[in-house]
Amino acid sequence: MGSKVESYFPVQRIAQACLQCRRKKCRCTGDRPVCGQCQRLSVGQDCVYPVEASRPQAVRQQAPCRFTEQESDRARETGELSRKENADVVNKITTLEAKIENMGSSLQRIERCLVSLLDGSDQGGMGLPAPSGQVEGSSGIEFPTSEQRNRFEESQNSDTMKGDFGLPEEVFMAVVDSYFTYCQNQPYSFFHEQNFRQRLSKQDIPRHLVLAVMATAVRFCSHPYFTGPWVKVGLAVRMAQDCGLMLENATHLSYAEQEERRRVFWSVYLLDRLVSCGRGRPPAIVDASCHVQLPCAESIWRDGLWAKTQSLDEMTNRTLSVAQRQGPFAQVIAIAHVLGRCAQYVLQDFNIRGPHPPWDPGSDFAGIESDLLHFEAYLEIQRPVSEMLEPHISAEGVVDSQSTGPIIFSRALFHLCYCLLNHPFLLRRRINTCRNLAPISFIQRSSNMAWLHAQQMMALIREARKSGCSFHSSSSGYAVTVAGSIIALRTYDADSIASEQAQILLEEALLYLDIIGQHWSNVRTMVMCPTSRFAVP
């Protein structure tokens, strides 16, 4: 027993642990300037010990812990340094919190300003805030003054008719009259007419509600302002822009609803490009304002998922690799962009690159043809259309028309671009504006190119109908009419084989237009052109 008592050593306890060991909740040896634990971890700096009120410690049987005068001075200096560092940290945190709070309020003001600008409520010519409203330490960010904020709030509360809808007041009121004549109580009743007109005169009705009334009543309005679909499409464009559909600003919605908004805008864009295929019909949507990404694949949308796609600018600038090939509807939008450029060039005499002759490498003709060559590889035009449609047709012969429709339509627009660009009548008008004589080889090449794509247009429709796919949109009638006019000219070819082939294709085109004309009255009007001028002998 005596030997066991003599070999017992009590646990050595220290008066204080350093701050590093306290934070890690590990045993501290209490050595100074660096304890054993921090030395083992290679902290690289002396330990810091907090200054605390002295506590009665148990008398140790072995060597008691006593500080020399030098160690006491060092402990006091360390405590003062720790308090100073803590105070500096607290001051920095307080400063950062104040800056973050100021930045948050500033960002809210900027957001309100941007929303008001996008809503079209900037009526006082207000742009970005003046430099006088800049906050010190804001890294160059300019914020509105109190006077400018008040003007923004007033402009947000105002809802003027002309500024928001771009219609003369007489036309606007004619639309309102048409609503209460043809829509109210037939059978739905939404408004008290007298109160509605009073609130309208005071501009107290929300903009989206007025747009809904206009969308409902414009088809019944007999005002000469709405005599053609081009004007109505312009109104639809205005509504889409007013709702901000061209921006990616609906992140609070589900993925399916966000994609739905994108597709609504791109459908309006497509409609705008199609109705602009005429003289004196410039498009209403500027490509530079389309910041929303292109539609995703149909299967992704059906599953309610999200997928990152390219923007129109990225796709048309050829930054898209083959591995990143977009869905069929996105391909339709890309070709519609080229169609818009083509229509402006051949139908509206619009030059982007300058008044160069079509055979010049720097002309718009060459630029558009270059884009079409790019999309020829991207759309796999040389691949049989039946092979492209096969994955969307079941073994029982059931066709997924929502998937096959964009595939057929993108190819039809591709051939339409070539037909318009190389159409003999349109190209002759363009050449007549040039001061130089056109090379014979260029004219022959353009004529052959128009004839080739007119044949491919009819072959596309033939294969699509053979596969059981539907291609009955009103714009398909326009595409076949343009191709049919080229085919009709070819019936007068000196080559008897080409003339007979053109004769057969012309009959096929007229038959197709008769079928489409049962659904669209405007197509019946188109049939009269090739029938009267290029009647089959």
Side-chain angles (χ1 to χ4, degrees):
M1 292 294 294
S3 61
K4 291 183 180 180
V5 172
E6 293 174 358
S7 62
Y8 170 76
F9 294 94
V11 177
Q12 295 291 333
R13 298 186 181 276
I14 61 174
Q16 279 185 327
C18 66
L19 294 179
Q20 186 75 7
C21 293
R22 280 191 174 188
R23 283 195 295 269
K24 295 186 176 181
K25 297 184 179 180
C26 59
R27 185 179 297 280
C28 182
T29 61
D31 297 335
R32 299 172 184 261
V34 182
C35 69
Q37 183 72 9
C38 295
Q39 188 174 7
R40 183 177 65 85
L41 297 176
S42 301
V43 175
Q45 60 182 5
D46 294 348
C47 296
V48 178
Y49 290 84
V51 178
E52 295 182 357
S54 60
R55 297 180 299 177
Q57 302 291 331
V59 180
R60 301 194 175 116
Q61 295 181 2
Q62 303 204 356
C65 181
R66 294 174 179 171
F67 295 125
T68 62
E69 182 178 354
Q70 183 178 2
E71 292 175 340
S72 299
D73 294 341
R74 182 182 297 174
R76 284 194 298 271
E77 293 176 359
T78 302
E80 293 177 357
L81 180 62
S82 177
R83 286 194 298 272
K84 184 177 180 181
E85 290 178 351
N86 292 339
D88 291 341
V89 170
V90 171
N91 291 335
K92 290 180 179 180
I93 293 175
T94 304
T95 304
L96 287 175
E97 289 178 348
K99 289 184 177 180
I100 291 173
E101 184 177 358
N102 292 335
M103 185 178 296
S105 60
S106 301
L107 290 176
Q108 290 178 357
R109 291 196 299 269
I110 293 175
E111 183 180 3
R112 288 196 299 267
C113 296
L114 292 176
V115 169
S116 62
L117 288 173
L118 292 175
D119 287 343
S121 56
D122 183 11
Q123 307 204 2
M126 290 180 293
L128 292 176
S132 60
Q134 182 172 333
V135 180
E136 183 179 359
S138 60
S139 302
I141 300 177
E142 299 177 354
F143 302 106
T145 62
S146 58
E147 180 181 357
Q148 290 172 329
R149 288 197 298 269
N150 293 334
R151 285 158 58 192
F152 269 114
E153 293 174 358
E154 292 176 1
S155 63
Q156 286 180 337
N157 294 331
S158 63
D159 196 2
T160 61
M161 292 182 295
K162 287 187 178 180
D164 290 342
F165 309 112
L167 297 177
E169 185 174 358
E170 176 188 358
V171 178
F172 182 83
M173 295 311 298
V175 176
V176 175
D177 295 339
S178 298
Y179 177 83
F180 286 103
T181 302
Y182 298 101
C183 303
Q184 179 74 355
N185 294 337
Q186 299 184 27
Y188 308 109
S189 179
F190 296 109
F191 306 107
H192 183 276
E193 182 175 359
Q194 183 177 359
N195 291 341
F196 182 90
R197 293 181 181 276
Q198 289 178 355
R199 293 181 59 193
L200 189 63
S201 62
K202 297 178 181 179
Q203 301 174 358
D204 288 340
I205 300 179
R207 182 184 299 105
H208 65 273
L209 187 56
V210 178
L211 288 172
V213 170
M214 294 176 65
T216 306
V218 70
R219 67 175 62 214
F220 303 105
C221 186
S222 59
H223 195 280
Y225 190 86
F226 301 105
T227 54
W230 185 68
V231 176
K232 296 179 181 179
V233 171
L235 181 60
V237 169
R238 187 76 179 193
M239 293 178 181
Q241 292 173 338
D242 191 80
C243 294
L245 299 183
M246 68 286 188
L247 304 172
E248 290 285 357
N249 58 356
T251 55
H252 60 285
L253 300 177
S254 65
Y255 290 151
E257 291 175 322
Q258 292 182 41
E259 180 65 18
E260 189 176 47
R261 285 173 57 92
R262 296 188 193 101
R263 291 185 174 235
V264 169
F265 172 75
W266 287 121
S267 297
V268 175
Y269 176 91
L270 176 61
L271 188 60
D272 180 49
R273 291 302 183 266
L274 291 175
V275 300
S276 298
C277 290
R279 298 193 60 79
R281 294 289 186 264
I285 299 179
V286 181
D287 291 328
S289 66
C290 303
H291 302 293
V292 65
Q293 70 178 31
L294 291 169
C296 64
E298 193 71 22
S299 58
I300 296 176
W301 187 33
R302 290 177 180 177
D303 294 338
L305 303 177
W306 179 86
K308 173 63 178 175
T309 60
Q310 299 289 332
S311 65
L312 179 63
D313 181 67
E314 292 170 337
M315 192 171 188
T316 54
N317 282 328
R318 308 176 189 179
T319 60
L320 195 67
S321 65
V322 177
Q324 296 173 299
R325 183 174 283 111
Q326 304 299 301
F329 189 40
Q331 296 174 7
V332 171
I333 301 303
I335 294 296
H337 162 75
V338 182
L339 176 64
R341 290 183 55 199
C342 185
Q344 291 184 69
Y345 179 74
V346 300
L347 297 174
Q348 301 164 25
D349 301 331
F350 183 77
N351 294 307
I352 299 177
R353 297 187 174 186
H356 303 288
W359 54 89
D360 191 290
S363 65
D364 288 281
F365 185 98
I368 296 171
E369 195 170 53
S370 176
D371 290 339
L372 290 173
L373 289 173
H374 166 67
F375 281 108
E376 180 179 347
Y378 183 77
L379 296 176
E380 299 178 301
I381 296 298
Q382 303 304 326
R383 186 179 173 188
V385 66
S386 57
E387 185 178 335
M388 300 284 291
L389 300 175
E390 184 178 359
H392 307 288
I393 303 176
S394 65
E396 294 78 14
V398 179
V399 178
D400 184 3
S401 58
Q402 296 187 20
S403 299
T404 59
I407 297 175
I408 301 172
F409 200 77
S410 60
R411 293 187 167 219
L413 291 185
F414 176 82
H415 296 309
L416 176 61
C417 289
Y418 267 108
C419 290
L420 286 175
L421 194 63
N422 297 278
H423 196 287
F425 288 166
L426 299 176
L427 190 60
R428 181 180 178 181
R429 287 185 61 258
R430 195 72 189 183
I431 292 176
N432 288 339
T433 62
C434 302
R435 298 181 180 179
N436 301 327
L437 294 177
I440 300 299
S441 59
F442 172 79
I443 296 177
Q444 291 177 346
R445 174 184 172 276
S446 297
S447 177
N448 293 334
M449 189 68 70
W451 166 238
L452 172 64
H453 285 276
Q455 294 178 82
Q456 292 183 355
M457 176 80 76
M458 299 310 303
L460 170 67
I461 296 175
R462 189 184 312 116
E463 289 296 325
R465 296 180 65 188
K466 183 179 178 180
S467 301
C469 300
S470 174
F471 185 53
H472 293 159
S473 64
S474 61
S475 53
S476 65
Y478 175 79
V480 173
T481 300
V482 175
S485 63
I486 296 174
I487 294 171
L489 288 173
R490 205 71 174 190
T491 58
Y492 297 95
D493 197 298
D495 186 355
S496 59
I497 298 177
S499 178
E500 291 177 3
Q501 184 182 4
Q503 195 86 14
I504 296 173
L505 290 177
L506 181 58
E507 293 177 357
E508 184 180 357
L510 293 175
L511 178 61
Y512 177 78
L513 291 175
D514 286 335
I515 296 174
I516 298 298
Q518 298 175 6
H519 304 282
W520 304 98
S521 58
N522 62 321
V523 176
R524 291 196 297 267
T525 306
M526 297 178 187
V527 177
M528 297 173 59
C529 176
T531 303
S532 59
R533 295 191 179 184
F534 309 107
V536 181

